[in-house]
Amino acid sequence: AASGVAMVSAKAANAEGDPAIINKQEWNQYLGEGVDARPYGMPSQFESHVRRQDVPWLTADPVSSVNFTPLHELDGIITPNGLCFERHHAGIAEVDPAEHRLMINGLVDRPLVFTMEDLMRFPRENHVYFLECAANTGMEWAGAQLNGCQFTHGMIHNVMYTGVPLRLLLQEAGVKTTGKWIMPEGADASGMTRSIPIEKALDDCLVAFKMNGEALRPEQGYPVRLVVPGWEGNMWIKWLRRIEVGDQPWHHREETSKYTDLLADGQARRFTWEMDAKSVITSPSPQAPITQGPGPLVITGVAWSGRGTIPRVDVTIDGGITWQQARMSGPSLNKSMHRFYLDVEWDGKPMLLQSRAHDSTGYVQPTKEQLRHVRGENSIYHNNSIQTWAVNEKGEAENVEIS
Amino acid sequence: AASGVAMVSAKAANAEGDPAIINKQEWNQYLGEGVDARPYGMPSQFESHVRRQDVPWLTADPVSSVNFTPLHELDGIITPNGLCFERHHAGIAEVDPAEHRLMINGLVDRPLVFTMEDLMRFPRENHVYFLECAANTGMEWAGAQLNGCQFTHGMIHNVMYTGVPLRLLLQEAGVKTTGKWIMPEGADASGMTRSIPIEKALDDCLVAFKMNGEALRPEQGYPVRLVVPGWEGNMWIKWLRRIEVGDQPWHHREETSKYTDLLADGQARRFTWEMDAKSVITSPSPQAPITQGPGPLVITGVAWSGRGTIPRVDVTIDGGITWQQARMSGPSLNKSMHRFYLDVEWDGKPMLLQSRAHDSTGYVQPTKEQLRHVRGENSIYHNNSIQTWAVNEKGEAENVEIS
Amino acid sequence: VSGAPAPQTAGFGLGRDALPVEIAAWDIDVRPDGAGLPAGSGDVWTGEEVFVEKCAMCHGDFGEAVGRWPVLAGGHNTLSDEDPVKTIGSYWPYLSTVYDYINRAMPFGMAQSLTNDEVYAITAYLLYVNDLVDDDFELSNDNFLEVRLPNEPNFYMDDRATTEYPIFAGDVCMTDCKDSVTITMRATVLDVTPDDGSEGGEEAAEEEPAETEEASVE
Amino acid sequence: VSGAPAPQTAGFGLGRDALPVEIAAWDIDVRPDGAGLPAGSGDVWTGEEVFVEKCAMCHGDFGEAVGRWPVLAGGHNTLSDEDPVKTIGSYWPYLSTVYDYINRAMPFGMAQSLTNDEVYAITAYLLYVNDLVDDDFELSNDNFLEVRLPNEPNFYMDDRATTEYPIFAGDVCMTDCKDSVTITMRATVLDVTPDDGSEGGEEAAEEEPAETEEASVE
Ligand code: HEC
Ligand code: HEC
Ligand SMILES: [Ca+2]
Ligand SMILES: [Ca+2]
Ligand SMILES: [Ca+2]
Ligand SMILES: [Ca+2]
Ligand SMILES: [Ca+2]
Ligand SMILES: [Ca+2]
Ligand SMILES: [Co+2]
Ligand SMILES: [Co+2]
């Protein structure tokens, strides 16, 4: 092991010793900023590369576009608010909470208007849920394309929400027996709308005003958004200003032109709400290569399912010839991200890395091959297939497809 | 209920309707900023009052001082990184991770030096833990003093950490059988040190590099800090650069001059590491008055114990004549904050609010009276007594003591 | 000093009644069955005029799109092609969605600025450029339900529970699962990933990414 | 292509051996039993000279403190008073802590800039201003263990498990727990809370808060 130590150490010491130890650093001797300097703190200057990033060629304009969570730089299961990916259709609405209202109308006994203060007087709940855009990994249907899990899988975040069960607000207005659907609507300039069946609305949806403890961020719908656990992100209406109750769905633009799944035969699935079990290795990955050479290596990633928890993730380093069960770490919560690890000793040879999630319903994440067999290559949304990274001898990783 | 509705509504509509609804807002029509504008996001401009705040008269200089988490503005159990209270003894060390080393020396088979890259190759774990300063609520020993739970109870935060079990690092160096204590040391200009018994070091301590998913913040010890679950915050050495293993404790400044508990008879307890069960109502509270008048009211707060979970919190609104069991909400994790709620119908009369935590060992949070009876009024640290807020007819709350 | 448990069944008495004038201000949604359609009308020629003035700079005079802005016309019979073109004419199932969306969200940057008659006229014009009506067509709340879009029958309810879940379940192979593995496609060949320098992508755009539809990020 | 489960017992082979010169650079801690004390010495008069030059602007010429900076001397027999003064002389149990702390953390703003002899001399001076040695005293690694601080016997191990936990446990009262309640103290009377305007506290400082010891925020 003694020679191994020398090999794997990032910086071997010479006889005079490591200057980082022998020489005093500024921060060992001199005072830093005080407790009055940073009323709201930000990451270290040495972490400025950890940021949301957009892909300019994807859309005509950054104002109706998406950026991506830097999954390859994160660990655990919580996404910090500043790094939660953004997807908006008319830019970030900067809503003044004093001027914000939530209306409930349609098939209710009494149409109501709530202020933010009114909402804060209902009983609240706290839950950690992932939000994944249905288009996450959508650019990969036709083939391996974007080289980094931030881009292939970064339309997801995982947050603890505080909010009022939607059920309580609907009960307050009194849903008529004919009320079978709701249509939440946003206050931004896209006036975002979706149709949601009343069963889901009365089950686990939240009208949330806090994320990870503090107020929602403007990018995420401040002052109030809908939380639709396990269902595609577009339904989680941001800047929520109205909920209409109706007897039929609305078939609005985001559930017809968009967010319908075009199959190979030209037919299309609609109302594909649930997000199936999925996982991805976040490190090593194209943006997080192995820099330290052979020896101990932490393979890690995230897994989630819109239909429950993730009791198990399998990892292969040889492209699927052999699989090992990964170690799950951190709380296992319903419809939340899960973190997995596989601690290996890397021999320095090329690897083909994949992860495969099992959810609590018994569903197993499919291969791209399996999914394309059912859906073809034009489906855009709901690509939850197994991702492959090819790692070379230098530790560099690439997004590939394999046989 | 119809008249009640009119009474409790924040803004009753006049016949022409609420201008916030009738008139279009800017954000309903015009585009906001795009996905390229905010690589790292910040809270809404309307939330600028939610910030860490220091108490200038407490210390000679803000560089060795403390600021406080705005508990009254937070919900759920996660403290966002930008709002985690700060306590440092020589200011915020801005450590370059490339120049940072962790040394293990003393009673070990092989003294070792790790780079950050080395640490990232050990198996990792994820856990949510509260960190409370032993001095939290310390200014309240002699009597009700600071008017706001941010100041009375804000030396606490609750974060999901990712890190390497300290046990693995110590095993790597090989602790000699004579090794009974460790002394972690910080790289900042205070060279912070504490003595920790080897049993705790080998149990649940973590050498953590991530908080709430992203890199530690400089204020919290970037690039690496010690996590000492359930034990007083000062022991969670930030900017961790060295761990010495020894056969005896060091009795350094922060475990003699400070963080010892002076009792009424002039004797003092030392090594009072564990943080006992505690709770506080965060709203209503002096900084979070009731603004909406009588009617439904959410009473909420947080509770925690360094010795387990919090299965139960009781709340009184009449100063302890009658208690009700609060509703716990959110994951219940070992040595983590817990969130509780009591949803009441406020009649507009004055209230005396208190909360009382029970932990999983059967310990019940004591009154100030009970605690002073054992410890006197000079104990400074470890004041985990029941807090009282007096709420008047206008909904204003004040920090008081009661008979 | 008193307080009773909050009522859980009878409601909390929170919020206030929404006034009819307030509901009218916000309740603009339209459904396939015509629910929500306001009174009004507009013809193809008026629609063209408004469209050329307020929409064409992005969507093109005939809905063919400028640059990467959305295409609104054409694409018939491309849905099972390698690169389907999904437009109002080729893909959308219901005309009501056209009315509703333009009325709530367009023009981009000046939402909810059109009159009802303008929206009817633009909708008529978009039917026309999609070869679904003649140039003398006038659309109104009266004849709205008579217009059906051709692709309506090709949508069906999510059927993953029967078509996929039984396949994607069950025991998994853990060892000796394949004889060999080959790499069949590499992302770096395309080279469309933004640089770490953040401004990347220009070069990428030239490289013709495999999937450039705007829809791919919805 | 291969990879075995990581070894959990034999160690990971990570990190590298620390060199003696590196350990020497960082291993500066001192313990009550003298472990870690470097060779060196310094007398009271030298200590005064250094102290006045490098420390007195904050701690006062005789450790009495300037403004709100820490007091280093005095406070004898105040530990059971209403406002105890905790100093090296009145409270600290071990002299080694004085050496260790000054050596690692003082002067504030220029840590680890003192020579070993300077630290011995300052420590001797601080013993002197605390009336624990005469003015001709010289402290060195040889006689260090002979000096004991007076308050050492008054520290004992945390005993909450026996003195508190049995009391703070058991059944709790839920109804009719008291006959009446009175407010006995109000924070607003003191008025020492910073304003929401954030710069508050000046006014507060004048108000003499009940607990202004620097220690109160440690
Ligand atoms: C400045 C550019 C711009 C202008 C002007 C504009 N649009 Fe658009 N349009 C867009 C963008 C961008 C989208 C996609 C929005 C999104 O989904 O985020 C869009 C989407 C649409 C769609 C839906 C396309 C689909 O396939 O789902 C329709 C229909 C439409 N616009 C009609 C109009 C009409 C009618 C007008 C004028 C009254 C108009 N647009 C003016 C940029 C523009
Ligand atoms: C610029 C102001 C300043 C100067 C100069 C300074 N100190 Fe300090 N001293 C402090 C502060 C502030 C603290 C408390 C630090 C903390 O705990 O955060 C302190 C703490 C101490 C303590 C511990 C007090 C206690 O009760 O725990 C000792 C001993 C001490 N200083 C000695 C010295 C000596 C010796 C020097 C000179 C070599 C010196 N100081 C120079 C500001 C200063
Ligand atoms: Ca409607
Ligand atoms: Ca044209
Ligand atoms: Ca395609
Ligand atoms: Ca030592
Ligand atoms: Ca003086
Ligand atoms: Ca006192
Ligand atoms: Co879908
Ligand atoms: Co203690």
Side-chain angles (χ1 to χ4, degrees):
Chain A
S3 71
V5 170
M7 275 186 57
V8 300
S9 171
K11 316 221 176 191
N14 56 30
E16 297 87 55
D18 182 350
I21 296 175
I22 301 300
N23 304 332
K24 288 199 174 68
Q25 308 283 356
E26 264 183 65
W27 54 81
N28 305 148
Q29 293 205 279
Y30 312 126
L31 302 173
E33 285 192 330
V35 297
D36 53 350
R38 305 183 186 177
Y40 195 97
M42 284 286 281
S44 162
Q45 54 181 295
F46 299 103
E47 296 292 315
S48 58
H49 56 288
V50 181
R51 64 183 193 287
R52 304 189 279 221
Q53 212 176 307
D54 60 315
V55 176
W57 57 257
L58 269 182
T59 53
D61 192 312
V63 161
S64 176
S65 191
V66 65
N67 62 24
F68 299 85
T69 303
L71 290 179
H72 61 295
E73 291 279 359
L74 304 182
D75 212 319
I77 65 165
I78 294 292
T79 315
N81 292 343
L83 293 173
C84 289
F85 86 96
E86 299 173 62
R87 175 40 173 146
H88 22 78
H89 292 253
I92 304 168
E94 297 279 359
V95 175
D96 178 352
E99 298 296 313
H100 190 74
R101 303 288 180 270
L102 174 59
M103 179 188 287
I104 299 185
N105 72 315
L107 296 178
V108 292
D109 297 334
R110 240 177 52 206
L112 292 175
V113 172
F114 300 105
T115 61
M116 286 306 298
E117 290 82 7
D118 294 332
L119 294 180
M120 304 298 283
R121 302 174 74 182
F122 282 91
R124 299 170 206 166
E125 291 183 8
N126 299 289
H127 296 277
V128 180
Y129 293 124
F130 76 85
L131 178 161
E132 185 185 14
C133 179
N136 198 20
T137 324
M139 283 91 77
E140 301 292 310
W141 270 108
Q145 178 165 274
L146 284 161
N147 210 27
C149 71
Q150 177 167 22
F151 304 109
T152 56
H153 289 75
M155 289 193 216
I156 188 167
H157 52 66
N158 201 57
V159 159
M160 176 171 288
Y161 295 96
T162 306
V164 176
L166 174 57
R167 184 189 337 108
L168 296 182
L169 301 181
L170 290 173
Q171 282 169 0
E172 191 75 16
V175 175
K176 291 190 193 295
T177 51
T178 46
K180 297 297 177 209
W181 292 80
I182 65 159
M183 185 209 66
E185 182 180 67
D188 68 323
S190 83
M192 183 59 64
T193 46
R194 285 296 299 259
S195 303
I196 300 177
I198 195 77
E199 293 75 24
K200 180 72 174 176
L202 296 175
D203 177 14
D204 57 1
C205 291
L206 295 177
V207 172
F209 38 78
K210 294 254 199 276
M211 61 191 291
N212 291 333
E214 67 184 350
L216 287 178
R217 293 293 176 83
E219 303 93 295
Q220 310 298 339
Y222 177 84
V224 63
R225 88 172 306 163
L226 194 64
V227 168
V228 191
W231 289 22
E232 57 191 19
N234 178 259
M235 307 178 82
W236 299 45
I237 303 297
K238 301 194 280 193
W239 311 291
L240 181 70
R241 83 167 189 184
R242 188 167 72 97
I243 295 168
E244 182 164 329
V245 179
D247 58 350
Q248 289 175 38
W250 276 259
H251 295 287
H252 274 184
R253 187 239 187 185
E254 314 295 327
E255 50 206 16
T256 52
S257 170
K258 310 296 171 191
Y259 301 107
T260 44
D261 301 357
L262 179 58
L263 304 192
D265 63 0
Q267 293 201 290
R269 289 177 181 153
R270 60 179 164 80
F271 296 145
T272 50
W273 300 308
E274 274 174 333
M275 301 304 294
D276 287 324
K278 187 166 169 181
S279 69
V280 66
I281 290 173
T282 54
S283 179
S285 67
Q287 300 159 291
I290 305 172
T291 56
Q292 304 301 305
L297 172 69
V298 175
I299 300 174
T300 186
V302 283
W304 59 93
S305 167
R307 301 197 288 134
T309 57
I310 300 287
R312 170 177 169 189
V313 174
D314 305 323
V315 170
T316 178
I317 66 169
D318 59 12
I321 297 173
T322 312
W323 295 83
Q324 300 176 59
Q325 239 182 279
R327 171 171 59 89
M328 309 304 297
S329 169
S332 171
L333 303 168
N334 190 28
K335 296 167 189 166
S336 164
M337 258 192 194
H338 292 60
R339 172 65 57 178
F340 64 87
Y341 298 104
L342 188 72
D343 304 299
V344 300
E345 186 79 17
W346 183 42
D347 60 7
K349 301 215 186 93
M351 295 187 283
L352 290 170
L353 297 178
Q354 296 182 326
S355 62
R356 177 173 68 190
H358 301 238
D359 80 10
S360 48
T361 72
Y363 178 96
V364 181
Q365 185 183 2
T367 62
K368 237 179 185 179
E369 187 71 13
Q370 285 181 296
L371 214 56
R372 283 183 189 147
H373 186 75
V374 177
R375 301 191 201 162
E377 292 186 6
N378 287 337
S379 194
I380 297 180
Y381 307 105
H382 298 289
N383 179 354
N384 68 319
S385 63
I386 288 173
Q387 172 68 45
T388 313
W389 308 126
V391 178
N392 66 19
E393 300 86 343
K394 284 181 272 182
E396 297 160 342
E398 183 185 357
N399 178 6
V400 301
E401 292 192 6
I402 58 172
S403 62
Chain B
S3 72
V5 170
M7 275 184 58
V8 300
S9 170
K11 315 224 175 187
N14 56 32
E16 299 87 55
D18 182 349
I21 296 174
I22 301 301
N23 304 332
K24 288 199 175 67
Q25 308 283 356
E26 263 182 65
W27 53 82
N28 306 146
Q29 293 205 278
Y30 312 125
L31 302 173
E33 286 191 331
V35 296
D36 53 349
R38 304 181 188 179
Y40 196 98
M42 285 286 282
S44 162
Q45 55 182 295
F46 299 102
E47 296 292 314
S48 59
H49 56 288
V50 182
R51 63 182 194 289
R52 304 189 279 221
Q53 212 175 306
D54 61 314
V55 176
W57 57 257
L58 269 182
T59 52
D61 191 313
V63 162
S64 177
S65 190
V66 65
N67 63 23
F68 300 85
T69 303
L71 290 179
H72 61 295
E73 292 279 359
L74 304 183
D75 213 320
I77 65 165
I78 294 292
T79 315
N81 292 344
L83 293 172
C84 289
F85 85 97
E86 298 172 63
R87 176 35 170 152
H88 22 80
H89 292 253
I92 303 168
E94 297 278 0
V95 175
D96 179 351
E99 299 295 312
H100 190 73
R101 302 288 180 270
L102 174 59
M103 180 188 287
I104 300 186
N105 72 314
L107 296 178
V108 292
D109 297 332
R110 240 177 53 207
L112 291 175
V113 172
F114 300 105
T115 61
M116 285 307 297
E117 290 82 9
D118 294 331
L119 294 180
M120 305 298 282
R121 303 175 71 182
F122 282 91
R124 300 169 204 165
E125 291 184 6
N126 298 290
H127 296 276
V128 180
Y129 294 124
F130 76 84
L131 177 161
E132 185 184 15
C133 180
N136 198 22
T137 324
M139 283 91 76
E140 302 292 310
W141 271 109
Q145 179 166 275
L146 284 161
N147 210 25
C149 71
Q150 176 169 22
F151 303 109
T152 56
H153 288 75
M155 287 193 220
I156 187 167
H157 53 66
N158 201 58
V159 159
M160 176 171 290
Y161 295 95
T162 306
V164 176
L166 175 57
R167 184 188 337 107
L168 296 182
L169 301 181
L170 291 173
Q171 282 168 359
E172 191 74 17
V175 174
K176 291 188 193 297
T177 50
T178 46
K180 297 297 178 208
W181 292 81
I182 66 159
M183 183 207 69
E185 182 180 66
D188 69 323
S190 84
M192 182 59 64
T193 46
R194 286 295 300 260
S195 304
I196 300 178
I198 194 78
E199 293 75 22
K200 181 70 176 177
L202 295 176
D203 177 14
D204 57 1
C205 291
L206 295 177
V207 172
F209 38 79
K210 294 256 198 275
M211 61 192 292
N212 292 332
E214 66 184 351
L216 288 178
R217 294 294 177 84
E219 303 93 294
Q220 310 300 339
Y222 178 85
V224 63
R225 88 174 304 163
L226 194 64
V227 168
V228 191
W231 288 21
E232 58 191 19
N234 178 259
M235 307 178 83
W236 300 44
I237 303 299
K238 302 194 279 194
W239 311 290
L240 181 70
R241 82 166 188 185
R242 189 168 69 99
I243 296 169
E244 182 164 331
V245 179
D247 58 349
Q248 289 175 38
W250 276 259
H251 295 289
H252 275 184
R253 188 240 187 182
E254 314 296 327
E255 51 205 17
T256 53
S257 170
K258 310 297 171 191
Y259 301 107
T260 45
D261 300 358
L262 179 58
L263 305 191
D265 63 1
Q267 294 202 289
R269 289 178 182 153
R270 60 177 164 81
F271 296 145
T272 51
W273 300 308
E274 275 174 332
M275 301 305 293
D276 287 325
K278 186 165 168 181
S279 69
V280 65
I281 290 172
T282 53
S283 180
S285 67
Q287 300 159 290
I290 304 171
T291 56
Q292 305 300 307
L297 172 68
V298 175
I299 300 175
T300 186
V302 281
W304 60 92
S305 166
R307 301 198 287 134
T309 58
I310 300 287
R312 172 176 169 189
V313 174
D314 305 323
V315 170
T316 177
I317 65 169
D318 60 13
I321 297 174
T322 312
W323 295 83
Q324 301 175 58
Q325 236 182 280
R327 170 172 61 89
M328 308 305 296
S329 169
S332 170
L333 303 168
N334 189 29
K335 296 167 189 165
S336 164
M337 260 193 191
H338 292 60
R339 172 65 55 178
F340 65 85
Y341 297 104
L342 189 73
D343 304 299
V344 300
E345 186 80 16
W346 183 42
D347 61 6
K349 301 213 186 92
M351 296 187 282
L352 291 169
L353 297 178
Q354 295 182 327
S355 62
R356 177 174 68 190
H358 301 239
D359 80 12
S360 47
T361 72
Y363 179 95
V364 181
Q365 185 182 4
T367 62
K368 238 179 184 178
E369 188 72 10
Q370 285 180 297
L371 213 56
R372 284 184 188 144
H373 186 75
V374 177
R375 303 192 201 163
E377 292 186 6
N378 287 337
S379 195
I380 297 180
Y381 306 105
H382 298 289
N383 179 353
N384 68 320
S385 63
I386 289 173
Q387 172 67 45
T388 313
W389 308 125
V391 178
N392 67 18
E393 300 87 344
K394 285 182 272 183
E396 297 160 342
E398 184 185 358
N399 178 7
V400 302
E401 291 192 7
I402 58 173
S403 63
Chain C
V1 177
S2 84
Q8 293 288 342
T9 49
F12 294 85
L14 287 169
R16 62 166 177 80
D17 292 337
L19 300 183
V21 64
E22 293 171 330
I23 298 175
W26 278 7
D27 186 8
I28 60 167
D29 51 283
V30 179
R31 281 198 323 204
D33 63 358
L37 266 184
S41 64
D43 60 31
V44 169
W45 298 122
T46 312
E48 180 180 33
E49 222 169 313
V50 183
F51 193 87
V52 168
E53 188 198 334
K54 300 187 174 175
C55 321
M57 69 278 259
C58 296
H59 296 292
D61 285 353
F62 306 100
E64 76 281 14
V66 174
R68 298 191 41 66
W69 300 102
V71 183
L72 305 182
H76 298 273
N77 298 318
T78 65
L79 295 183
S80 35
D81 291 0
E82 198 185 321
D83 283 307
V85 179
K86 296 192 270 183
T87 72
I88 291 168
S90 70
Y91 192 65
W92 293 34
Y94 303 111
L95 187 63
S96 60
T97 314
V98 182
Y99 188 101
D100 178 87
Y101 181 70
I102 295 171
N103 186 48
R104 70 171 56 246
M106 289 292 133
F108 193 64
M110 186 60 83
Q112 302 194 21
S113 61
L114 302 171
T115 68
N116 292 341
D117 287 347
E118 283 177 322
V119 181
Y120 276 109
I122 292 169
T123 307
Y125 179 66
L126 287 171
L127 286 170
Y128 172 71
V129 294
N130 273 290
D131 293 330
L132 295 168
V133 297
D134 289 333
D135 61 6
D136 59 353
F137 180 71
E138 184 185 57
L139 184 69
S140 73
N141 54 306
D142 285 330
N143 67 358
F144 200 94
L145 295 189
E146 289 160 27
V147 188
R148 307 295 284 258
L149 298 185
N151 198 45
E152 179 181 340
N154 291 320
F155 285 87
Y156 59 92
M157 190 68 187
D158 182 8
D159 63 354
R160 284 176 292 176
T162 54
T163 56
E164 296 187 3
Y165 295 169
I167 311 177
F168 304 153
D171 287 345
V172 293
C173 174
M174 294 300 282
T175 45
D176 296 324
C177 305
K178 305 176 182 180
D179 287 335
S180 67
V181 185
T182 340
I183 293 177
T184 56
M185 189 166 189
R186 293 181 168 277
T188 50
V189 174
L190 279 170
D191 194 21
V192 293
T193 309
D195 291 339
D196 251 5
S198 100
E199 289 311 303
E202 306 89 76
E203 169 202 7
E206 293 157 27
E207 300 268 351
E208 281 273 315
E211 192 77 16
T212 57
E213 296 96 306
E214 186 270 343
S216 61
V217 300
E218 297 298 300
Chain D
V1 177
S2 85
Q8 292 289 339
T9 48
F12 294 85
L14 288 169
R16 61 164 178 82
D17 292 337
L19 300 182
V21 64
E22 293 171 329
I23 298 175
W26 278 6
D27 186 8
I28 60 168
D29 51 284
V30 179
R31 284 198 321 206
D33 62 0
L37 266 184
S41 64
D43 61 29
V44 169
W45 297 122
T46 312
E48 180 181 35
E49 222 170 311
V50 184
F51 193 87
V52 168
E53 189 198 332
K54 301 187 173 177
C55 322
M57 68 276 259
C58 296
H59 296 293
D61 285 352
F62 307 100
E64 78 281 13
V66 175
R68 298 192 40 64
W69 301 101
V71 182
L72 304 183
H76 297 272
N77 299 318
T78 65
L79 294 183
S80 36
D81 290 2
E82 198 184 320
D83 284 306
V85 179
K86 298 193 270 181
T87 72
I88 292 168
S90 71
Y91 191 63
W92 294 34
Y94 304 110
L95 187 63
S96 59
T97 313
V98 181
Y99 188 100
D100 177 87
Y101 181 71
I102 294 171
N103 186 47
R104 69 171 57 247
M106 288 293 135
F108 193 63
M110 186 61 82
Q112 302 195 21
S113 61
L114 302 170
T115 66
N116 293 340
D117 286 348
E118 283 177 323
V119 182
Y120 277 108
I122 293 169
T123 306
Y125 179 66
L126 287 171
L127 287 170
Y128 171 72
V129 294
N130 273 291
D131 293 330
L132 296 169
V133 297
D134 289 335
D135 61 5
D136 59 356
F137 178 72
E138 184 186 56
L139 183 68
S140 73
N141 54 306
D142 285 330
N143 67 358
F144 199 93
L145 295 188
E146 288 160 27
V147 188
R148 307 297 285 255
L149 298 185
N151 198 45
E152 178 181 341
N154 290 320
F155 285 86
Y156 59 91
M157 189 68 188
D158 181 9
D159 64 354
R160 285 176 291 174
T162 53
T163 56
E164 297 187 3
Y165 296 169
I167 311 176
F168 304 154
D171 287 346
V172 293
C173 175
M174 294 298 283
T175 46
D176 295 324
C177 305
K178 306 175 181 180
D179 286 337
S180 67
V181 185
T182 340
I183 293 176
T184 55
M185 188 165 189
R186 294 182 168 274
T188 51
V189 173
L190 278 170
D191 194 20
V192 293
T193 310
D195 291 340
D196 251 4
S198 99
E199 290 312 301
E202 307 88 75
E203 165 203 12
E206 293 158 28
E207 300 269 353
E208 281 273 315
E211 192 77 18
T212 57
E213 298 97 307
E214 186 269 343
S216 61
V217 299
E218 296 299 299

